[in-house]
Amino acid sequence: MSRMKFYCDDYRCIDCNGCVVACKEAHEIPVGVNRRRVITINEGIEGKQKSLSVACMHCSDAPCQKVCPTDCFYIRTDGIVLHDKDKCIGCGYCLYACPFGAPQFGHEGIFGVKGVMDKCTFCAGGPDETLSENEFEHYGQNRIAEGKIPMCASMCSTKALIAGDASEVDKIYEYRTAKRGDNTSLKPYGWEAYNNGK
Amino acid sequence: MANTLGYGGMTNHLGDMQNSKVILIMGANPAVNHPVGMQHILKGKENGAKIISIDPRYTKTSAHADLFARIRTGTDIAFLYGMIRYIVKNNLHDKQYLDERVFDWESIVVEAEQYTPDVVANVCGCTAEKFLEVVKLFAENSPGCLIWNQGWTQHTIGTSNTRLGPIMQMFLGNIGKVGGGCNILRGHDNVQGASDMANLSDILPGYYPINEGSWKYYSGQWQVDYEWLKGRFKTKDMMEKKGFALSTWPWGVIDDENAANNAGTPLKALICIGNGISTITMTHKTKEALDKLDLVVFIDPYVNDAAVITDRTDNMFLLPAASQVESSGSVAATNRSYQWRSQVVKPLYEAKEDHEILFEFAKRLGFYEEFTRSLKNGKPSYEWPEDATREFNRAVKTIGLQGVTPERMKRQQENWALFDPLTLRGSGVVEGEYYGLPWPCWSDKHPGTPIMYRTDVSVMEGGMGFRAGWTDKGPDGKPVVVAEKNGQTLLAVNEPAGSRFKGGHLEITADNIESFGITLTAEEKEKVKGKNWKNDNTYILVNKALEAGLCPYGNGKARARAWDWADQLPKHREPLHSFRQDLVAKYPTFEDKKDHYRTNIRYASEQNKQNWVADFPINVVTGRIVEHMGTGTETRASKYLAELAGEMYAHIHPTLAKKYGVDNGDMIWVHGTGEGKIKVKAVYSYSVAETDIFMPQNFSGLWSGKSLVDKYPKGTAPYALGENSNQVTSYGYDIVTACPETKCTLVRIEKA
Ligand code: SF4
Ligand code: SF4
């Protein structure tokens, strides 16, 4: 079985924040908690401005899980990294371990009563009964259980953000890079590439 | 556009941009204003198209362009003429296309002569090398698509921009071509529909001119007596006179001299239905007008920001209107496609749908029966919204809305998946239709016209030439349709594929139809006697023309020269408040214009009043930000959007900021050339030129440093409030449409 993955195509992302709002609306997330964010670097600098939408990357070898003292994280067989808010003690270790700043510690409500971590669930709910009210209250919608892809990707204006089975995501990526014909697939996907302006 | 090609609509469609080889975006920022539309541009880029962005700012769209050129606001005409000059000099123009389809293109070549690369560089403020890079990339790749929106229209010379754009495209043979065209992106859904339905003061629905003939035609369509209709107006002259424009009405309230243009009275009451009037230039004048009126009514789902700006304490009413999800009916997209929208929920609380509010007005004003007669069309009652759609199917023949029936739209709504996004062509149950039946859709058998002015397909597949109904002043001073001007023909030399008549022809009338090899029976002749394609209720003329492969409006030439305009050929003219005082003498603005949309408008006298740039040394660019829509009235009431973009700001280049000792995040005062001033946060940005500041147009609720939050009715204040940038935008209106000059404005700033 393949793993679920996000991919944000930096050649397409236009920093419209549609994904961010889609996520917040779908899960009724309080203001101040950001499961997804759009980062723009080199704003206004010709040839160097790039935007990218980031959330939890659902790492294969998730550092957050490694450092959690209460072992509240679990990785589903499809690779989605989830956590149990009832076990979380809010120590914040995962935030320091995560390379993407995905874990959120808000100040209000069940999503982030000070001390409880909230993060992107790949729209797959959490350990509570699937599609129950409790699950929605704690973790938001469970679109995966309904056979849908995450809200952010489904609402992305330009289809920069794609989500789903890694092998399918890879096919789309390969298709686009082949069409662009500039060997983007061979270029590093990271800050270095951006700083060189390509 | 309409005065050049025939129709003012976007020629191609968004999906078609995926067929382009080069896309020139000028005066538009689709990544911000049309994020979903941007998807097609980016896919076009993946298909190999080169993207060119020309803008005073390095925008989110520019960030995705292959080539960016920064030009000074309001200098597009110099740039375009420079392009045309280069194209002709290097023999890159499509001479056959021009000869066959464009009237008096030769004069454009003469006019373009003065715009050498060095002149372009001087006027536009880009380098000659950059200019040449742009023109080469655009002219040497085909097909090329041109995109613009408000960056071109909101100028004193806006209409010249929107004429020269299509003219430049015709030099390259790019109009009437897959992957080409002039793609004007509309500001939000149903802007196209609103203008089709004449939410404008100078036309009747379907762009029929407001003259006696059209009023008589419409009294027939509405099934009311013409004399009765005339009796609703103060005089027949007023019935046939352009009204105030959205931009000019405040002057009808506050400047007594305009009363003479308005049947002797200043404006006394305002009903504003679904319009963010606080985004028009010089908002402090809008406030003054609102304060002075006898009666003000706002009809909106949210509290209109203008209602908060005014100081009036009485005779102002806010009527809650239903939002788009609480109403239903047809909505026209940017590309002239009509789509059916269903009601998702019934209007909440006391909100009512717009038409119900209008019907209630009509009842109380005593003409409900007349108002709804043609909706019933002989039946005892009417069905909303279907019968309203049927009414325009019958009436609006000019742009071919006959085929856009509720039945077809609903069937399309149920079968979205059966349409191809690149061609809009349907299959299965919707075979033989293009998505949204883009107008002109000449009959219920016609598929619609996804790409206008194509002659490589037949009229029944969406083909057509340019307009043939150009008018000139007849001997009695009234306009008459002419077939030639200055000894040159106005009729095309080619024809759409499959046309039984070869060459160009005038619009189809009962008198000339038989000269095109079409025969009518004696009975048909009797029925259409004295009629033409746009007033024949039997549709015999249109249907017979279609059968013969002829376009009902004729087959004419586009016109490079608009002989009835102040500038027959587009001309660069410096803005009223020019950043380049040294160029004003060479490129002066128009003479002052009396009674322009009932308002006496200053041009030369405003431009020459003083050396503006000496006192107001900073150029301003305003525009939308992606999180907010229009005035932001709706979006600033969303907590998530307010979280993302909750504060008004001015983008300022660090170099300019240093001159004023402004640190990133400092508050600054911005003073306009009028009396308006606003206090905003300075945010450093490299996206603006060192001479400019950029401000979003989407904020309201703060007024010259003071909060107006207490003025919102309890519980209705939006989450995000901010100063309104249009308090400092300058005076100025387009010479033809009176579109406000929001894009060329000077200000001075000081640290707060
Ligand atoms: S929270 Fe961070 S470390 Fe954990 S899976 Fe998500 S991206 Fe990886
Ligand atoms: S919706 Fe798509 S294009 Fe917009 S910011 Fe998110 S990832 Fe980027």
Side-chain angles (χ1 to χ4, degrees):
Chain A
M1 178 168 191
S2 187
R3 300 178 62 97
M4 293 295 192
K5 281 289 172 214
F6 281 122
Y7 173 70
C8 183
D9 184 345
D10 56 322
Y11 283 72
R12 280 218 189 166
C13 179
I14 54 171
D15 187 16
C16 73
N17 275 313
C19 47
V20 175
V21 178
C23 171
K24 292 191 166 217
E25 287 282 355
H27 306 300
E28 297 177 12
I29 292 173
V31 166
V33 175
N34 292 296
R35 288 183 173 188
R36 177 165 286 287
R37 276 164 301 169
V38 183
I39 312 290
T40 293
I41 58 163
N42 297 330
E43 190 256 345
I45 300 179
E46 207 179 321
K48 293 192 175 181
Q49 181 174 328
K50 286 277 181 185
S51 302
L52 207 57
S53 171
V54 267
C56 169
M57 299 297 272
H58 300 274
C59 307
S60 310
D61 192 9
C64 54
Q65 185 194 31
K66 294 248 161 69
V67 300
C68 177
T70 67
D71 209 6
C72 82
F73 289 89
Y74 62 104
I75 304 186
R76 299 177 15 149
T77 50
D78 57 7
I80 298 174
V81 179
L82 297 177
H83 72 295
D84 186 339
K85 286 192 176 178
D86 292 334
K87 283 194 196 159
C88 173
I89 54 167
C91 65
Y93 275 24
C94 55
L95 174 60
Y96 297 104
C98 173
F100 302 101
Q104 298 282 299
F105 294 85
H107 297 275
E108 280 166 50
I110 192 80
F111 276 81
V113 179
K114 202 164 177 128
V116 179
M117 189 273 276
D118 183 70
K119 74 164 192 70
C120 158
T121 65
F122 210 85
C123 289
D128 294 339
E129 190 192 330
T130 300
L131 299 176
S132 65
E133 239 170 71
N134 244 355
E135 186 190 40
F136 182 78
E137 283 286 304
H138 282 84
Y139 306 99
Q141 289 189 26
N142 190 338
R143 290 172 55 91
I144 298 294
E146 294 171 331
K148 298 173 183 159
I149 63 164
M151 194 57 126
C152 50
S154 72
M155 299 281 275
C156 171
S157 314
T158 62
K159 302 290 165 257
L161 186 61
I162 32 191
D165 189 318
S167 59
E168 293 297 318
V169 170
D170 190 48
K171 272 187 211 154
I172 298 174
Y173 175 67
E174 282 301 326
Y175 174 79
R176 288 189 193 170
T177 53
K179 265 193 133 176
R180 282 196 280 260
D182 62 352
N183 290 331
T184 30
S185 59
L186 302 177
K187 291 181 187 166
Y189 181 80
W191 305 126
E192 205 190 339
Y194 299 149
N195 288 332
N196 291 335
K198 264 284 161 187
Chain B
M1 280 265 285
N3 271 286
T4 308
L5 310 176
Y7 286 130
M10 170 173 176
T11 60
N12 295 36
H13 57 94
L14 287 160
D16 185 57
M17 294 172 190
Q18 297 184 42
N19 296 315
S20 303
K21 282 284 163 273
V22 58
I23 300 176
L24 175 61
I25 305 170
M26 215 167 159
N29 183 9
V32 162
N33 298 313
H34 309 85
V36 181
M38 188 69 188
Q39 185 184 142
H40 298 283
I41 297 172
L42 293 168
K43 282 183 176 167
K45 190 178 179 193
E46 277 161 24
N47 289 345
K50 297 288 177 211
I51 313 292
I52 309 172
S53 159
I54 303 184
D55 207 281
R57 277 193 308 147
Y58 188 74
T59 64
K60 290 185 183 185
T61 304
S62 315
H64 285 272
D66 295 282
L67 186 57
F68 166 70
R70 192 191 298 279
I71 63 169
R72 176 166 65 97
T73 52
T75 62
D76 309 80
I77 289 173
F79 202 95
L80 289 169
Y81 268 130
M83 288 180 75
I84 293 172
R85 183 181 178 278
Y86 178 92
I87 289 165
V88 176
K89 286 254 178 294
N90 291 279
N91 225 0
L92 293 165
H93 58 308
D94 187 338
K95 190 154 181 314
Q96 185 187 349
Y97 183 102
L98 292 168
D99 283 340
E100 287 181 348
R101 304 191 66 184
V102 187
F103 165 75
D104 203 7
W105 60 273
E106 296 87 350
S107 296
I108 293 285
V109 178
V110 176
E111 186 69 25
E113 193 46 47
Q114 57 180 299
Y115 293 96
T116 62
D118 289 335
V119 170
V120 173
N122 180 29
V123 173
C124 302
C126 66
T127 62
E129 293 70 39
K130 188 61 107 184
F131 157 74
L132 287 169
E133 240 185 286
V134 170
V135 55
K136 279 185 199 155
L137 189 62
F138 190 67
E140 288 169 6
N141 287 283
S142 175
C145 147
L146 173 65
I147 294 174
W148 75 76
N149 48 285
Q150 278 86 332
W152 266 18
T153 53
Q154 297 179 349
H155 289 292
T156 48
I157 49 170
T159 36
S160 291
N161 287 333
T162 63
R163 274 181 30 73
L164 199 53
I167 290 171
M168 187 274 288
Q169 278 291 62
M170 289 191 291
F171 270 80
L172 293 168
N174 271 334
I175 293 190
K177 208 183 232 178
V178 174
C182 286
N183 292 320
I184 321 149
L185 301 177
R186 303 291 175 194
H188 59 86
D189 68 334
N190 217 26
V191 169
Q192 185 62 51
S195 81
D196 292 350
M197 293 305 114
N199 282 351
L200 292 163
S201 65
D202 58 341
I203 50 165
L204 289 174
Y207 310 92
Y208 286 80
I210 39 170
N211 57 27
E212 185 182 322
S214 305
W215 277 117
K216 284 193 168 150
Y217 171 71
Y218 266 103
S219 50
Q221 293 300 322
W222 294 331
Q223 304 172 23
V224 296
D225 180 38
Y226 169 74
E227 290 300 323
W228 174 83
L229 204 53
K230 197 171 83 185
R232 312 288 312 175
F233 291 85
K234 191 162 182 181
T235 61
K236 181 166 179 292
D237 280 350
M238 292 309 289
M239 184 184 197
E240 292 167 16
K241 182 171 178 158
K242 277 183 200 173
F244 282 100
L246 178 56
S247 54
T248 62
W249 71 268
W251 304 112
V253 185
I254 52 190
D255 273 0
D256 290 336
E257 64 172 283
N258 294 315
N261 306 326
N262 191 43
T265 52
L267 281 181
K268 296 200 170 132
L270 175 78
I271 297 185
C272 176
I273 177 163
N275 199 310
I277 56 173
S278 51
T279 50
I280 303 301
T281 42
M282 310 187 87
T283 324
H284 55 288
K285 290 291 166 193
T286 304
K287 173 190 179 322
E288 212 179 306
L290 288 169
D291 289 350
K292 196 177 164 197
L293 287 164
D294 293 350
L295 170 74
V296 179
V297 182
F298 288 106
I299 305 174
D300 270 302
Y302 293 82
V303 175
N304 194 308
D305 288 303
V308 174
I309 288 169
T310 169
D311 282 332
R312 54 186 309 128
T313 51
D314 202 5
N315 273 334
M316 177 162 77
F317 300 88
L318 308 180
L319 305 182
S323 65
Q324 64 271 40
V325 293
E326 299 164 316
S327 47
S328 60
S330 70
V331 198
T334 182
N335 68 314
R336 304 164 278 111
S337 268
Y338 275 64
Q339 309 180 78
W340 198 257
R341 182 145 74 189
S342 303
Q343 190 178 47
V344 182
V345 288
K346 291 244 175 299
L348 296 173
Y349 309 108
E350 68 272 69
K352 282 192 182 356
E353 292 181 60
D354 294 325
H355 68 278
E356 277 187 51
I357 297 173
L358 295 176
F359 286 161
E360 290 303 320
F361 274 125
K363 279 180 198 161
R364 285 163 178 77
L365 296 168
F367 55 81
Y368 176 70
E369 203 282 317
E370 289 87 348
F371 197 43
T372 52
R373 199 179 285 155
S374 67
L375 290 177
K376 294 188 203 131
N377 197 25
K379 298 175 298 185
S381 63
Y382 59 84
E383 179 193 9
W384 186 271
E386 287 80 356
D387 279 322
T389 310
R390 290 183 191 115
E391 182 188 51
F392 74 62
N393 293 153
R394 289 192 302 271
V396 179
K397 301 183 175 81
T398 39
I399 57 170
L401 290 185
Q402 295 96 307
V404 192
T405 62
E407 291 71 23
R408 285 177 110 187
M409 278 189 268
K410 285 181 191 176
R411 189 173 58 215
Q412 292 202 346
Q413 186 192 30
E414 298 295 318
N415 291 287
W416 282 347
L418 296 179
F419 289 94
D420 177 65
L422 259 71
T423 60
L424 303 189
R425 202 185 295 274
S427 59
V429 288
V430 286
E431 198 178 325
E433 287 178 12
Y434 291 108
Y435 183 66
L437 303 158
W439 62 252
C441 181
W442 297 116
S443 75
D444 58 4
K445 307 273 175 321
H446 193 268
T449 307
I451 299 177
M452 295 206 273
Y453 316 116
R454 278 181 80 172
T455 49
D456 59 336
V457 294
S458 71
V459 173
M460 274 311 279
E461 294 167 299
M464 60 201 218
F466 294 115
R467 172 177 170 172
W470 302 115
T471 55
D472 201 1
K473 262 204 186 101
D476 58 352
K478 288 201 173 134
V480 285
V481 174
V482 287
E484 60 164 51
K485 176 81 185 171
N486 303 341
Q488 275 191 48
T489 179
L490 289 166
L491 301 179
V493 177
N494 70 338
E495 64 284 321
S499 172
R500 265 201 256 146
F501 183 78
K502 296 299 161 212
H505 61 89
L506 280 178
E507 54 178 2
I508 303 288
T509 65
D511 293 336
N512 71 11
I513 189 163
E514 297 204 309
S515 65
F516 306 127
I518 297 168
T519 44
L520 300 185
T521 64
E523 193 191 336
E524 285 168 341
K525 270 189 203 156
E526 188 50 39
K527 281 189 183 155
V528 300
K529 203 164 163 197
K531 299 285 184 197
N532 62 46
W533 66 288
K534 53 186 186 291
N535 62 13
D536 163 28
N537 292 330
T538 68
Y539 304 117
I540 291 171
L541 295 176
V542 168
N543 287 332
K544 287 277 175 184
L546 294 178
E547 267 171 41
L550 269 63
C551 181
Y553 62 66
N555 177 24
K557 279 186 171 171
R559 52 176 197 170
R561 177 185 292 278
W563 53 81
D564 42 353
W565 280 33
D567 279 345
Q568 297 195 3
L569 301 173
K571 254 180 143 155
H572 172 63
R573 291 175 183 278
E574 280 295 313
L576 302 188
H577 309 90
S578 172
F579 189 70
R580 288 286 303 274
Q581 184 66 24
D582 59 317
L583 294 178
V584 167
K586 181 146 201 266
Y587 306 104
T589 189
F590 304 95
E591 289 304 307
D592 290 6
K593 190 169 177 181
K594 286 239 179 298
D595 200 3
H596 188 30
Y597 290 85
R598 301 196 186 180
T599 312
N600 299 340
I601 304 280
R602 307 189 296 278
Y603 288 89
S605 66
E606 178 76 11
Q607 191 175 51
N608 299 327
K609 202 185 272 173
Q610 65 175 88
N611 178 358
W612 291 103
V613 71
D615 294 338
F616 300 90
I618 295 172
N619 204 27
V620 167
V621 195
T622 62
R624 273 198 213 160
I625 54 176
V626 68
E627 289 83 0
H628 294 306
M629 169 72 216
T631 49
T633 311
E634 183 176 5
T635 46
R636 285 184 286 103
S638 151
K639 61 181 177 192
Y640 297 137
L641 294 171
E643 179 190 6
L644 285 163
E647 204 180 358
M648 173 65 183
Y649 59 87
H651 270 164
I652 183 167
H653 196 283
T655 311
L656 181 63
K658 190 175 156 220
K659 260 204 224 159
Y660 289 87
V662 171
D663 279 336
N664 194 16
D666 278 354
M667 296 304 283
I668 52 171
W669 279 105
V670 182
H671 297 266
T673 50
E675 302 103 73
K677 57 168 188 177
I678 57 177
K679 190 177 162 190
V680 297
K681 183 183 254 181
V683 174
Y684 282 7
S685 171
Y686 293 109
S687 63
V688 284
E690 291 179 18
T691 46
D692 296 2
I693 60 173
F694 166 79
M695 292 187 291
Q697 59 155 66
N698 315 92
F699 287 89
S700 204
L702 299 183
W703 189 263
S704 304
K706 282 198 297 287
S707 172
L708 303 176
V709 67
D710 296 338
K711 289 209 194 165
Y712 286 88
K714 201 164 169 277
T716 65
Y719 293 101
L721 301 175
E723 291 269 8
N724 184 323
S725 58
N726 275 306
Q727 244 208 97
V728 299
T729 45
S730 301
Y731 182 91
Y733 304 92
D734 181 84
I735 190 71
V736 179
T737 62
C739 200
E741 172 77 86
T742 61
K743 305 294 180 193
C744 293
T745 279
L746 297 177
V747 295
R748 67 183 167 85
I749 62 170
E750 62 194 22
K751 207 168 146 175

